[in-house]
């Protein structure tokens, strides 16, 4: 053994470790997902400790506090009242709906805050699916894409900076780009959920929005967790159709997918640390088995190390304060 070569010399002090550190995590890499609901009250989410569905006024305040910590943007997820859910999901493109009102309020209060919106039908669809459902249970692709275009235009009119289609319908990125450009919203970006897997990690999120499918599952449109090459195909398609940012969801169990798409594309990569990932850390910390701040920080650093430029995480505000 050649003891003249000692890698530990580069680990011996905080100053040296800082200088040779290969991956850096800053608040600027974080995006804060926020749940919102109608009314004047906030509702804690039992399956996601520390998270809640915000009323509009408190949503604006929470987003402002996060932005002051250096977080550049938020992404919005609405809990839609049951009486507004329909098979055609018409509420998703109501210009006076919950999300457009939230966008306008956020942009008015915090002009430099980046507002990202989820483009999918599951919060609005009485069937609980990301797409329109045929009488025989099939998820209709092209008909869904037409509605998604109306939804994206609604968000753009309200002032959204980025629309994020999470539906996994074929061809939706090209259709959204054409619709936005035709309406002179060429400045609105598309953050495509490129590799969204049919994951068991989404459970707490669906409970928070009451958006679980009423029948069947999402395996005919979300990706098989066993597949890797398929993610590269999806990435190539989304890039060719005009996506500005490619997203992988979930993040932690799919670090290999983040890395492979990073190697295959020059576009920025986003990754979503989803509700199940968040809950496991929270539960471990609540039981006294984990240090929440340290494990959350390490998990996010791992996602950055895999190649993600930006991370959607419920820890965003907490970790930004630590950083």
């Amino acid at each position: 053994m050649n003891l003249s070569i000692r890698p530990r010399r580069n680990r011996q002090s905080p100053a040296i470790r800082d200088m040779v550190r290969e991956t850096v995590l800053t608040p600027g890499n974080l995006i804060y997902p926020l749940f919102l609901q109608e009314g004047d009250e906030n509702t804690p989410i039992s399956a996601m400790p520390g998270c809640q569905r915000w009323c509009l006024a408190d949503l604006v305040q929470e987003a402002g506090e996060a932005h002051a910590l250096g977080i550049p943007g938020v992404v919005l997820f609405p809990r839609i009242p049951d009486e507004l859910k329909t098979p055609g999901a018409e509420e998703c493109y109501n210009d006076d709906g919950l999300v457009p009102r939230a966008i306008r309020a956020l942009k008015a209060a915090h002009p430099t805050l980046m507002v990202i919106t989820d483009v999918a039908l599951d919060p609005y669809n009485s069937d609980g699916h990301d797409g329109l459902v045929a009488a025989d249970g099939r998820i209709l692709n092209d008909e869904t894409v037409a509605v998604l275009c109306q939804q994206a235009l609604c968000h753009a009119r309200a002032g959204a900076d980025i629309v994020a289609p999470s539906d996994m319908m074929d061809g939706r990125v090209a259709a959204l780009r054409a619709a936005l450009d035709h309406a002179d919203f060429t400045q609105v970006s598309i953050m495509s959920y490129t590799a969204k897997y049919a994951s068991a990690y989404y459970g707490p999120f669906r409970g928070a929005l009451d958006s679980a499918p009423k029948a069947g599952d999402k395996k005919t449109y979300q990706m098989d967790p066993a597949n890797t090459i398929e993610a590269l195909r999806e990435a190539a398609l989304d890039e060719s159709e005009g996506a500005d940012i490619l997203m992988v969801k979930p993040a932690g169990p799919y670090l290999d997918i983040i890395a492979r798409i990073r190697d295959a594309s020059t576009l920025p990569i986003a990754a979503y640390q989803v509700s199940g990932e968040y809950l496991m850390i929270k539960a471990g910390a609540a039981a006294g088995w984990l240090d929440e701040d340290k494990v959350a920080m390490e998990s996010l650093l791992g996602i950055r190390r895999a190649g993600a430029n930006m991370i959607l995480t419920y820890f965003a505000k907490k970790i930004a304060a630590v950083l």
Side-chain angles (χ1 to χ4, degrees):
M1 181 172 62
N2 183 356
L3 288 181
S4 65
I5 299 174
R6 294 180 180 266
R8 285 185 58 192
R9 282 193 287 263
N10 287 340
R11 307 172 196 150
Q12 63 184 301
S13 70
I16 293 177
R17 290 195 297 271
D18 284 348
M19 284 192 294
V20 301
R21 182 164 292 131
E22 299 170 32
T23 304
V24 177
L25 177 70
T26 75
N29 300 121
L30 306 177
I31 296 170
Y32 192 15
L34 292 172
F35 301 103
L36 63 154
Q37 65 182 10
E38 297 282 7
D40 300 322
E41 302 293 331
N42 303 323
T43 304
I45 300 170
S46 59
M48 297 178 65
C51 295
Q52 53 190 320
R53 292 192 295 267
W54 298 94
C55 68
L56 194 52
D58 290 345
L59 175 86
V60 171
Q61 180 177 337
E62 178 72 1
E65 292 175 4
H67 197 36
L69 291 170
I71 295 172
V74 299
V75 57
L76 303 179
F77 296 100
R79 166 58 174 93
I80 301 301
D82 289 343
E83 60 270 19
L84 295 178
K85 296 183 179 184
T86 61
E90 288 84 1
E91 180 64 17
C92 78
Y93 51 84
N94 176 6
D95 285 321
D96 294 318
L98 179 58
V99 169
R101 283 186 280 120
I103 297 168
R104 291 192 289 267
L106 287 167
K107 296 303 287 187
H110 314 297
T112 60
L113 177 71
M114 179 177 61
V115 177
I116 306 167
T117 61
D118 182 50
V119 174
L121 305 188
D122 51 326
Y124 307 88
N125 187 341
S126 52
D127 294 294
H129 276 283
D130 295 52
L132 302 179
V133 182
D136 61 2
R138 289 179 301 112
I139 307 304
L140 300 171
N141 192 93
D142 297 358
E143 295 86 342
T144 296
V145 170
V147 179
L148 296 174
C149 288
Q150 294 185 69
Q151 185 181 21
L153 289 171
C154 172
H155 295 175
R157 287 191 294 268
D161 299 288
I162 299 175
V163 294
S166 63
D167 55 287
M168 290 298 288
M169 298 297 119
D170 293 336
R172 91 274 205 213
V173 172
L176 290 174
R177 186 72 272 159
L180 290 166
D181 289 354
H182 182 73
D184 201 27
F185 291 117
T186 57
Q187 80 284 1
V188 175
S189 300
I190 297 176
M191 176 190 286
S192 175
Y193 284 62
T194 291
K196 182 179 181 181
Y197 285 85
S199 171
Y201 284 82
Y202 303 149
F205 176 94
R206 291 175 182 168
L209 295 184
D210 188 24
S211 61
K214 299 300 185 287
D217 55 39
K218 302 191 176 187
K219 293 181 180 180
T220 65
Y221 49 100
Q222 294 180 356
M223 284 180 52
D224 185 339
N227 292 357
T228 298
I229 296 172
E230 184 182 2
L232 300 179
R233 183 186 185 198
E234 289 279 6
L237 285 168
D238 285 358
E239 186 165 352
S240 70
E241 291 178 16
D244 300 286
I245 301 165
L246 306 178
M247 189 194 296
V248 176
K249 180 183 180 182
Y254 295 86
L255 297 180
D256 60 319
I257 306 301
I258 297 171
R260 291 201 67 174
I261 293 179
R262 172 70 292 154
D263 289 342
S265 176
T266 59
L267 288 179
I269 306 298
Y272 199 145
Q273 186 182 53
V274 300
S275 57
E277 298 174 74
Y278 171 83
L279 180 59
M280 288 191 297
I281 295 173
K282 295 291 287 190
W289 299 329
L290 298 174
D291 182 309
E292 181 179 320
D293 287 354
K294 290 181 179 179
V295 173
M297 187 79 75
E298 186 175 338
S299 69
L300 296 173
L301 190 64
I303 297 166
R304 278 280 290 145
R305 190 181 64 246
N309 303 94
M310 57 203 81
I311 306 170
L312 288 71
T313 175
Y314 305 102
F315 288 115
K317 187 181 179 188
K318 181 182 182 69
I319 292 300
V322 173
L323 289 171

